[in-house]
Each structure stands twice: as structure tokens, then as C-alpha cells.
Amino acid sequence: MIIHVDMDAYYASIEQRDNPKLRGLPVVVGGSPDGRGVVAAASYEARKFGIHSAMSMRKAIGLCPQLTIIKSRIDYYAALSKQIQRIFFEFTPIVEPLSLDEAFLDVTHTAHLFGDAESIGRKIKSRIENELGLIASVGIAPNKFLAKVASDLRKPDAFVVVEPMTLETFLDPLPIERIWGVGQVTANVFRKHSIHTIGDLRRWNLPELQVLFGKSAQHYWELARGIDKRAVVPEREAKSISSETTFSKDIHEREVLDGWLALLVEVVSRRLRNNAYQGKGVELKVRYHDFQSTTRSMMLSDPTDRTDAFLQSANSLLDRIPFDGRPIRLLGFGIHHLSQNSLRQLSLWDQSDCDKQRDLDAVSDEITDKFGRGAIQRGIAKARHTQ
């Protein structure tokens, strides 16, 4: 059995936990409403106003003028995430982290030690609440798709178990949007053919779906029957450092994408420096609402750990991504071809500028350590939105 653990409004919940005055208030974590700020996380009180992650902060303020905005403290959230993962590893070595706030666990082979999957799930949920003061939603099912759907079904504070013999009963009444990869546009196509629920979809055969959806039809056909053959893959030593975010609602605005890209570049380059790495390869990934993905990559002339160099390259790659009207559901940024403690080739002309940028990174890291993410913004990213 597979367990999916998803922390409820993770960043915002941490801030409300640490500052009791924020409890019960609409709170978002993210950037400034001036310029490129975006919502990284929204409390459940804020979500009642229609606010969600990936929304521009300016729009969030428009929806809720009394909104409390907290600057992100990504390193602090990451440290707490490691504590949560340590709890996971006490119950199974097969843990696949998806982000700081969610992970899949395969507990098939540890039931003889800790009890069945439901018992393990309850122990993990209780441990997280008692030791860290945070609430996790837990889904338990025979595969990753079902476990993910289960954990999200009754948020917040969910605990849902899907047994193999009940999966059709579980899936049938759910709206078609619960199928991975079905966004608003695809859902409209389904509805035009009277497919409103997963049960409706399951009544269609594969050839019929292929007429409508081509290669994606197999994906929809299998998930409607609760079929997901993907294994839980434990995290291995990385040959690259990357970060990506799946938006709670598809993104249409380039400005919002620019803001998220700047955040991802800051997070990844900071992780690079914290681990004494430099990187030469830069990669950008975009996934559209229809689950089709596009990547763009480039190689720098020399390995570096400078945020400004990665941000300039990332913006260049984003310019090469086709924006053809399709909404975007995921954005990712990564650095590969890593080297550690490498010697840098000196330039006769631009070394002074490079040194200044490294000093800027060092100061930025220090400020972030002390005051949290968002306390300082880079002019190169901000300028992009004023052009």
C-alpha cells in the first residue's frame, strides 16, 4: 500500500503556528504586491476569498484588502521538512519526496514491523502534529494516483483509506477534474460528451477516447479504472539541483510566470551555494494544462553559482518556450553538470563584475538567513517587469 502525506497550507500554517496572532486570519506567504510578487501559499482563511498559490499578490490584495502578507522563509520551511521526512523514514526506507510539503511512502514491506498501512498512516499523522504542531492530510491506497486523490479529497486534516475492492466506488462519483492532467480546457471537452464524473469516463472504451484525445487517451482510460503502475522511487544522490512547482490553478499570465521563475532560480542557486556546488547546465521545464511538457536547456561557458547568471539564462530559456494560448500548470528550473570546489577560470575583463555579483549573493544569503525569503529582491528580475 502507498501513503501520500500532504501538509495542509504548509508555509502559511508554519507562520500561523509560530505567530498565534495570525491564527484564524487570511494569511499568504510570498512576495511583495509591488512588481513581481506572487502567492507561494495561502491559509485556508485566505482561500475563502478565492486566493490560491501562483496568484499574483496584487490580485490577492484585490480579493482581500485585509490580507496579511508574510515573507517566505524557505530555508526554515526546508529544515522543518527534513524533520517531517525523518518521521517518514522511521516507518519505511521507500520515501519519494515531491516537494517540501508532500511525499509518497511505500509501506508494503514494513507492515510486519509497524502494523498495516492505516495504522502507519495514523501514527505518522499523529507524530507530525504532536512533535511539530502541524497538520498533515493523509491518503492511503494501492497506488500513487489513488493515494494522492485520497489525501486531497477531504482537506484540511484529511485521513482517507481506499481499499483495493472499493476503488471503483471511491472513484465513480468524483468530478472528472480529479484525473491527473484534466484542466479546465480538457474538462470542457469531456463535458461536451456528457462525461462529468470519473464513473462516466470509465464507461467509455479506449478506441472511443483515442478519437477525442489521441495519445492522452490511454492515460485517462487507465486512471479512470484506478490503474497506476508507477513505483515509489526513493530520492537518490542528485546529479542536478532543481525545483519545480505545480500551480493550484493553471497560469495564463507571463508576468506571474516571471515571478515564479525568479523565485525558483533564487531557491535553486541558494541550494547550490549551500552545498558548495557550481553548475554549468541550465534547464527550464514547462508543463501545459494538457499534461504535455516542454523543456529548454543551455550550457554556460563556465561553471558558476551566481544567481544573476542563472536568472539571465532562465529568462532567455523562458523566451524560447512557445506560448500558444495553452495554460501552464507546472514550472521547473534546474542546474546540472555540477562540480564541487572547482577552480574558476579568470576573465581579463569581467572579473570585477563577477566578484561583485558573488558578494551580492553572499549578502543576499545572509539577509535571507536572518529575515527570510523575500526580504531582498534582485534588480534584474524586478526590471523585467518594468520593461
Side-chain angles (χ1 to χ4, degrees):
M1 292 287 277
I2 308 300
I3 299 177
H4 180 255
V5 181
D6 193 0
M7 304 302 299
D8 293 339
Y10 184 54
Y11 298 174
S13 293
I14 290 172
E15 299 298 345
Q16 289 178 313
R17 181 201 69 175
D18 291 355
N19 183 354
K21 293 181 180 179
L22 297 177
R23 295 173 186 171
L25 299 179
V27 174
V28 295
V29 174
S32 167
D34 301 323
R36 62 185 176 87
V38 293
V39 176
S43 70
Y44 283 94
E45 295 85 357
R47 296 180 190 186
K48 294 177 181 178
F49 292 87
I51 298 169
H52 56 81
S53 64
M55 176 180 286
S56 71
M57 196 63 76
R58 283 180 294 183
K59 184 174 181 180
I61 288 290
L63 292 172
C64 179
Q66 68 269 36
L67 192 65
T68 299
I69 301 174
I70 305 295
K71 294 174 181 177
S72 176
R73 298 185 287 167
I74 193 68
D75 293 325
Y76 181 51
Y77 308 149
L80 289 173
S81 178
K82 289 181 180 178
Q83 294 182 46
I84 294 169
Q85 290 186 29
R86 279 197 287 269
I87 295 174
F88 297 161
F89 281 111
E90 290 185 28
F91 293 93
T92 177
I94 308 177
V95 177
E96 181 181 347
L98 302 180
S99 60
L100 295 182
D101 60 347
E102 64 174 319
F104 286 112
L105 294 72
D106 188 336
V107 297
T108 305
H109 303 294
T110 56
H112 66 290
L113 296 174
F114 305 108
D116 61 16
E118 181 174 351
S119 298
I120 293 174
R122 293 194 182 280
K123 290 173 185 176
I124 289 173
K125 183 176 172 66
S126 177
R127 289 274 303 273
I128 292 172
E129 183 174 4
N130 293 335
E131 296 177 20
L132 298 174
L134 297 170
I135 302 299
S137 285
V138 174
I140 302 171
N143 60 50
K144 294 168 80 170
F145 165 64
L146 292 169
K148 171 77 171 177
V149 172
S151 69
D152 190 54
L153 197 57
R154 297 173 189 165
K155 272 180 163 287
D157 200 16
F159 191 93
V160 178
V161 181
V162 182
E163 297 290 351
M165 68 287 297
T166 64
L167 64 88
E168 289 186 1
T169 304
F170 171 74
L171 285 175
D172 280 1
L174 298 181
I176 195 64
E177 289 87 349
R178 290 286 181 178
I179 295 287
W180 281 348
V182 176
Q184 182 177 353
V185 174
T186 307
N188 288 338
V189 176
F190 277 121
R191 292 191 187 101
K192 287 179 181 178
H193 294 83
S194 299
I195 301 175
H196 301 277
T197 67
I198 296 179
D200 294 335
L201 174 59
R202 203 174 65 244
R203 286 189 281 272
W204 283 56
N205 61 43
L206 183 56
E208 291 173 328
L209 290 176
Q210 287 172 333
V211 173
L212 294 178
F213 300 105
K215 294 180 180 179
S216 298
Q218 182 80 29
H219 168 80
Y220 300 142
W221 186 87
E222 289 183 351
L223 293 187
R225 288 157 177 76
I227 300 171
D228 182 9
K229 300 177 182 178
R230 297 171 305 148
V232 176
V233 181
E235 198 171 42
R236 296 182 174 90
E237 184 178 357
K239 295 182 180 179
S240 65
I241 293 179
S242 63
S243 183
E244 63 183 37
T245 184
T246 300
F247 306 120
S248 58
K249 293 191 176 181
D250 295 340
I251 298 298
H252 297 78
E253 302 88 357
R254 172 62 188 264
E255 181 184 20
V256 176
L257 284 176
D258 285 342
W260 273 102
L261 181 58
L263 174 64
L264 292 174
V265 171
E266 289 273 10
V267 169
V268 172
S269 58
R270 181 169 167 75
R271 286 175 57 194
L272 197 75
R273 292 190 293 272
N274 285 344
N275 289 279
Y277 279 112
Q278 293 181 321
K280 192 173 181 179
V282 180
E283 183 170 281
L284 185 71
K285 178 170 72 172
V286 165
R287 182 169 296 156
Y288 298 99
H289 76 286
D290 58 5
F291 239 62
Q292 299 299 309
S293 296
T294 297
T295 60
R296 295 290 185 271
S297 61
M298 62 188 300
M299 296 293 291
L300 305 179
S301 57
D302 296 297
T304 186
D305 59 7
R306 288 167 36 213
T307 299
D308 71 301
F310 293 132
L311 186 56
Q312 183 176 4
S313 300
N315 283 327
S316 176
L317 293 175
L318 189 57
D319 288 337
R320 291 163 47 190
I321 295 289
F323 289 92
D324 52 9
R326 287 182 293 172
I328 291 173
R329 72 186 309 271
L330 177 147
L331 182 66
F333 172 77
I335 302 169
H336 52 87
H337 282 70
L338 304 183
S339 56
Q340 200 162 25
N341 299 321
S342 62
L343 296 176
R344 291 184 286 108
Q345 181 177 355
L346 299 181
S347 167
L348 294 176
W349 309 110
D350 60 357
Q351 192 57 33
S352 176
D353 288 341
C354 290
D355 288 341
K356 288 179 181 178
Q357 290 296 333
R358 289 190 177 89
D359 290 342
L360 176 61
D361 284 335
V363 172
S364 175
D365 290 348
E366 185 176 351
I367 292 174
T368 301
D369 284 339
K370 189 171 183 179
F371 299 106
R373 274 211 51 80
I376 186 170
Q377 295 181 357
R378 293 181 181 272
I380 186 170
K382 193 170 184 179
R384 186 174 181 84
H385 298 270
T386 60
Q387 292 176 349

